[in-house]
Structures are given as C-alpha cells and as structure tokens.
Amino acid sequence: QVQLVESGGGLVQAGGSLRLSCVASGRTFSSYAMGWFRQAPGTEREFVAGISWSGSSADYLDSVKGRFTIARDNDKNTVYLQMNSLNPEDTAVYYCAARPGAFVKRIIHEYRYWGQGTQVTVSS
C-alpha cells in the first residue's frame, strides 16, 4: 500500500553535504513511522535514522548523531535525510523504509515497505 522512491544521492567530497528525499505514494503515509537504512558493499544493511509518524521524535545511529537530521512533511508525503559533515565511511546505498505504527524501530524486519535505494559516495 506504500511505494517509496529515494532521490538526492550523488558524489560529494569529505566534509560536504547531501539531502536525500523519499517520496511515498499511498493512502496512509502519515500512519507510518519512517526510517533510513544504508548498506555498503560487503556489509549488512544498518539502521541510520528514523522518525515517528507525527515527526515528533527521531532516532539516529550513534555515528551520525549531530551530522544527520531526519524530517518529514506528511502533506507532501516526503521524508528527508539531511547529511552534513560527510566522511568516506558514510559511502553506501541509502534506503528509505516505512513501518506501520507511530514509533520508530531499528529492526529491519519491522519495516514493511522499501525503496530501491540511492547511492551516496563520499570522496576523501
């Protein structure tokens, strides 16, 4: 019932910024908590950031706290990930995901719907 499409990835030098967007289609976007995950080559997919359905609370991977900010605009059916002070360790494919329910969870299997991903590459 929810289709997600990410955009905004690209190549950036270390210390730079990118803003990822995830546009959702479906009838109940505001009823889903949203998350961003990432996966680098040869690694497991990991939780990066999540936001409750109202946008009132958020959770972050420790290594991105203070650098990344997640936000959502339910009127536009869009969730964002603002990424500042990027470093090469942030290089990965970033995925948007939706979880039925109000609050964010870090477990991959809690998220029912996934986008196709957008590549973020940070050069040193």
Side-chain angles (χ1 to χ4, degrees):
Q1 289 80 24
V2 178
Q3 184 175 353
L4 307 173
V5 180
E6 305 97 332
S7 63
L11 176 64
V12 64
Q13 65 181 11
S17 298
L18 287 172
R19 189 192 194 198
L20 306 183
S21 298
C22 173
V23 179
S25 62
R27 302 184 181 95
T28 57
F29 176 76
S30 63
S31 298
Y32 290 82
M34 302 296 297
W36 287 95
F37 293 75
R38 68 187 182 187
Q39 187 169 19
T43 71
E44 297 292 326
R45 190 171 300 185
E46 66 177 348
F47 172 85
V48 177
I51 189 166
S52 63
W53 69 352
S54 68
S56 62
S57 63
D59 191 24
Y60 297 92
L61 179 68
D62 285 345
S63 64
V64 309
K65 288 181 178 178
R67 300 190 297 120
F68 291 11
T69 302
I70 189 171
R72 68 190 296 165
D73 185 339
N74 289 344
D75 291 335
K76 296 181 178 180
N77 289 342
T78 302
V79 62
Y80 306 95
L81 186 66
Q82 178 68 47
M83 304 185 296
N84 299 325
S85 301
L86 286 162
N87 59 65
E89 290 70 37
D90 296 316
T91 295
V93 177
Y94 284 70
Y95 298 89
C96 178
R99 172 188 177 273
F103 302 108
V104 64
K105 302 290 185 182
R106 296 189 174 203
I107 301 173
I108 289 176
H109 288 159
E110 293 287 335
Y111 292 81
R112 183 172 297 175
Y113 305 103
W114 294 82
Q116 295 299 306
T118 185
Q119 177 70 49
V120 172
T121 302
V122 185
S123 62
S124 59

